[in-house]
Amino acid sequence: MKKLWWHDKVAYQIYPKSFCDSNGDGIGDLPGIISKLDYLKSLGVDIIWLSPIYVSPLADQGYDIADYYNIDPRFGTMEDMDELLEQAKKRDMYVVMDLVVNHCSDEHEWFRKACEDPDGKYGKFFYIETAKDGKRPYNWRSYFGGPAWEKLPGHEDKYYMHLFHRKQPDLNWENPECREEIYRMINWWLDKGLAGFRIDAIINIKKALPLHDYPVDREDGLSDVHNMLHEAVGVGDFLTELRDRTFRPHDAFTVGEVFDEKPGELPQFIGEDGYFSSMYDFAPTIFGFSREGWHKSEEITPDDYRNCVFKTQQKVKDVGFISNIIENHDEPRGVSRYIPEGECDSSSKKMLATVYFLLKGLPWIYQGQEIGMENVPIGTIQEVDDISARYMYQVALEDGLSEKEALTAIQKFSRDNARTPFQWSAKAQAGFTTGTPWLNVNPNYKEINLEEQLADPDSVFHYYQRLAALRKDPEYKETLVYGELIPYLEDTHNVMAYYRKGEDQTILVMANYQKEGRELALPAACKKVLLNNLADTKMNDASIWLEGYQAVVLLL
Ligand code: TEU
Ligand code: CA
């Protein structure tokens, strides 16, 4: 595998709105981020991805962009952005922005002009269709609920397409003029000194043509948008052009948000000549997901988690370099999801950290993960900000669940779980803001916060710091970054273990993914314990005793 500069790095996702508020308006901002660069550096972070900070009405929290060339004043100014790039560079850190080009905002100038003149230049930047028998042209259901076709403002007989929220009209990638505008914008940002992009919802840019109806799959008379997407062919042509016109000439680092690429397509996506540098492993993320709603989604067990991850590792091998996560801004907190209910404590959190962080691939930390932030309890549906959670609540009610049951279902998956403010300290509002936070702070901030963890050498934070340092340690780096991953004891219930095999070094990662202690066989004598989430290790040359949720990293 060709070695690239970012392979041995640690990446970190910032959700700016909830990271650090510098001016007391309750909204995190760029000066707030700049003030925490040293903190991130001390954790061992090299690459920072910022969720969108462009001008936006925030209908989908910035994933609805009204002006790609400016910073939303709530997040700061372009000077702040330049300052962030400069300050990051000083610290050998790289900044990656979110590239949202499947859609823009209905408040973007292009869409306004499309409404003024649907047959003109900008009308062709979107998918606009004439009503069929006075009704919406196609029956697709959008991701966030309701029809994916909405009346074009000012035109009774015309509809526009939005796969996501109605304030997120889809851009028409079939139109070369539209693509040119997108490339111009990307190159403008890369010229500024950005290291690259995380690429949002990218599979959606290719629609199945000619557009048509799909079988109705719910009482709403609509059809899941995936039915259309699975029929779409040719996204690769767009992605090849995108890469050649923008990323490649800039040698940009790119990570695709790619859900279900088609079988065998992985090399095209992240192979040596792939569309992207990397893409996320969403196998555990989408495990148990039901298209019928969150209330029908299945929970994941430790064995399922291990099997999902190993399946991806098997698939990727040396094809490319995958990005490993346990959470992001669209998902519940990893510790609340992958650790069985009631068993979340600092040992199990550190165990989960160990097993995902040392997989082959680029480890990503989502803000707050490094201090073990957990899901937030929901009192009433009114407290929920996330548009997808609000929609899934309705779906659950329509399916006959009581309000209480529906709330329980969405509590598990709500995107708000990951979006509550970062818990910096035990002070008011967890030290996130001096004002009123835009989204309530998780009430557990007095127990879980950075300030206390900095003072405690055994904290989750310090454990993450050790993990990052271990992966970068010149002694072991070659093996931990490039060594082959071979599963160990993969059929043993509630065990997650694997070798990382380098040329002349073997490291074994072993975790007891349950609360009961147990004895496990060792394949060879341990030469050195590189990391342990508990104080002691009881072992001889042939076996090891692991306490509940103990994880160890052994040099064999
Ligand atoms: O997410 C893409 C995506 O597929 C989501 O619909 C995801 O499945 C959903 O959020 C889970 O509830 C990206 C962004 O990460 C997300 O925040 C945006 O809302 C979405 O695109 C639209 O831009
Ligand atoms: Ca602010």
Side-chain angles (χ1 to χ4, degrees):
M1 169 182 252
K2 195 169 148 201
K3 295 186 176 165
L4 297 171
W5 67 266
W6 52 272
H7 287 161
D8 60 1
K9 303 289 185 261
V10 172
Y12 189 95
Q13 180 189 355
I14 292 183
Y15 194 69
K17 202 173 182 187
S18 302
F19 190 58
C20 177
D21 174 22
S22 71
N23 62 352
D25 66 356
I27 295 176
D29 46 49
L30 285 167
I33 295 173
I34 295 169
S35 74
K36 299 297 183 187
L37 284 179
D38 287 330
Y39 160 66
L40 294 174
K41 186 80 191 172
S42 77
L43 172 58
V45 170
D46 310 283
I47 302 173
I48 302 165
W49 151 32
L50 305 182
S51 274
I53 47 169
Y54 314 88
V55 174
S56 166
L58 305 188
D60 184 24
Q61 298 303 354
Y63 285 89
D64 47 320
I65 300 172
D67 178 359
Y68 288 96
Y69 292 91
N70 279 299
I71 305 294
D72 193 283
R74 283 165 285 197
F75 295 126
T77 62
M78 195 55 85
E79 288 69 49
D80 295 330
M81 187 63 203
D82 291 336
E83 175 75 9
L84 173 64
L85 291 174
E86 202 183 308
Q87 291 299 328
K89 201 169 172 193
K90 266 194 197 158
R91 293 166 174 81
D92 290 321
M93 294 168 97
Y94 304 83
V95 179
V96 167
M97 281 176 94
D98 216 307
L99 185 63
V100 189
V101 287
N102 172 68
H103 43 265
C104 59
S105 162
D106 66 342
E107 297 182 30
H108 193 288
E109 188 190 3
W110 297 337
F111 192 73
R112 288 219 194 106
K113 288 188 174 156
C115 294
E116 276 162 26
D117 180 12
D119 299 319
K121 172 174 167 165
Y122 290 102
K124 297 188 184 68
F125 271 45
F126 299 92
Y127 290 92
I128 297 174
E129 299 266 324
T130 308
K132 254 198 240 152
D133 309 323
K135 289 199 283 259
R136 15 183 77 86
Y138 306 110
N139 67 349
W140 322 343
R141 182 185 307 109
S142 71
Y143 284 105
F144 295 141
W149 290 85
E150 199 83 22
K151 250 183 207 161
L152 189 71
H155 303 269
E156 276 305 300
D157 61 333
K158 288 197 170 15
Y159 285 80
Y160 70 93
M161 177 204 296
H162 63 92
L163 299 193
F164 291 88
H165 193 262
R166 69 188 152 69
K167 284 184 70 64
Q168 294 169 300
D170 280 55
L171 287 163
N172 186 354
W173 275 72
E174 303 293 337
N175 175 3
E177 264 191 280
C178 176
R179 299 203 299 274
E180 281 308 317
E181 280 295 335
I182 293 171
Y183 302 155
R184 190 166 75 86
M185 176 275 289
I186 296 172
N187 287 324
W188 184 85
W189 276 105
L190 291 173
D191 288 340
K192 240 180 176 321
L194 214 62
F197 291 100
R198 172 267 186 183
I199 302 157
D200 187 64
I202 195 66
I203 289 299
N204 298 277
I205 63 174
K206 185 73 195 184
K207 277 66 177 175
L209 301 174
L211 308 180
H212 60 87
D213 277 339
Y214 289 86
V216 172
D217 51 22
R218 245 191 250 162
E219 279 174 17
D220 58 7
L222 301 172
S223 181
D224 193 301
V225 71
H226 290 102
N227 296 327
M228 180 278 291
L229 289 172
H230 285 166
E231 248 187 31
V233 277
V235 72
D237 296 335
F238 291 156
L239 298 180
T240 302
E241 188 184 85
L242 168 67
R243 176 199 63 199
D244 292 346
R245 293 291 309 283
T246 61
F247 309 146
R248 184 162 283 176
H250 283 93
D251 197 16
F253 165 74
T254 54
V255 191
E257 189 202 20
V258 180
F259 285 98
D260 55 22
E261 86 282 357
K262 298 192 171 85
E265 275 185 346
L266 195 75
Q268 294 164 42
F269 277 85
I270 58 166
E272 222 171 279
D273 199 30
Y275 313 132
F276 307 124
S277 312
S278 183
M279 61 191 242
Y280 295 101
D281 176 18
F282 287 125
T285 314
I286 59 175
F287 179 91
F289 173 79
S290 166
R291 281 202 201 168
E292 288 170 62
W294 288 349
H295 65 290
K296 293 252 172 94
S297 295
E298 236 180 276
E299 281 183 45
I300 188 165
T301 66
D303 290 350
D304 298 327
Y305 175 76
R306 172 195 62 206
N307 298 343
C308 283
V309 168
F310 283 174
K311 207 171 149 195
T312 301
Q313 291 281 326
Q314 217 55 32
K315 183 172 85 170
V316 179
K317 287 274 187 187
D318 266 340
V319 167
F321 218 69
I322 200 88
S323 279
N324 296 308
I325 57 166
I326 58 167
E327 63 200 57
N328 65 29
H329 67 293
D330 289 334
E331 302 300 331
R333 288 289 178 176
V335 295
S336 302
R337 179 184 224 158
Y338 301 120
I339 297 168
E341 211 173 324
E343 297 179 13
C344 210
D345 60 17
S346 81
S347 304
S348 55
K349 287 174 183 181
K350 292 173 190 168
M351 182 226 69
L352 182 62
T354 315
V355 295
Y356 104 94
F357 200 94
L358 298 175
L359 290 169
K360 191 165 183 175
L362 181 66
W364 287 74
I365 300 170
Y366 174 73
Q367 67 179 48
Q369 180 188 322
E370 75 274 30
I371 56 167
M373 280 180 65
E374 299 173 5
N375 280 355
V376 64
I378 307 176
T380 62
I381 187 67
Q382 283 73 30
E383 285 170 24
V384 177
D385 171 80
D386 171 23
I387 49 180
S388 78
R390 283 168 170 259
Y391 161 56
M392 286 299 174
Y393 177 75
Q394 287 310 321
V395 172
L397 290 184
E398 279 158 29
D399 205 21
L401 268 70
S402 71
E403 287 182 6
K404 199 165 162 243
E405 290 162 342
L407 216 51
T408 308
I410 67 156
Q411 142 82 61
K412 288 197 185 114
F413 296 103
S414 170
R415 302 193 295 181
D416 287 355
N417 284 315
R419 297 178 180 184
T420 61
F422 190 104
Q423 293 162 207
W424 295 104
S425 70
K427 296 192 193 85
Q429 309 300 358
F432 160 72
T433 180
T434 52
T436 308
W438 73 277
L439 185 67
N440 283 341
V441 167
N442 192 318
N444 68 12
Y445 72 94
K446 294 217 163 100
E447 295 82 59
I448 300 174
N449 65 71
L450 179 68
E451 195 172 63
E452 278 174 28
Q453 295 200 16
L454 284 174
D456 170 8
D458 279 334
S459 65
V460 175
F461 168 80
H462 280 115
Y463 192 78
Y464 266 95
Q465 202 178 37
R466 287 202 280 277
L467 269 170
L470 176 63
R471 194 170 175 280
K472 292 177 181 190
D473 187 329
E475 276 291 305
Y476 311 111
K477 178 167 141 171
E478 193 63 23
T479 304
L480 290 175
V481 175
Y482 294 108
E484 193 186 349
L485 181 141
I486 304 169
Y488 177 58
L489 300 176
E490 62 189 300
D491 299 319
T492 310
H493 179 52
N494 289 351
V495 168
M496 182 154 173
Y498 53 84
Y499 301 95
R500 298 298 313 275
K501 283 206 168 162
E503 299 217 334
D504 42 29
Q505 194 176 59
T506 300
I507 293 173
L508 180 64
V509 177
M510 264 184 126
N512 179 20
Y513 209 144
Q514 61 176 21
K515 65 175 189 302
E516 298 79 24
R518 72 196 307 166
E519 188 171 299
L520 292 171
L522 282 179
C526 164
K527 287 192 197 127
K528 191 175 175 192
V529 179
L530 303 181
L531 200 65
N532 179 2
N533 70 337
L534 301 182
D536 300 311
T537 11
K538 289 177 218 137
M539 64 177 153
N540 53 41
D541 283 357
S543 71
I544 185 165
W545 172 266
L546 292 179
E547 300 293 343
Y549 289 111
Q550 185 166 15
V552 289
V553 182
L554 311 175
L555 179 67
L556 298 185

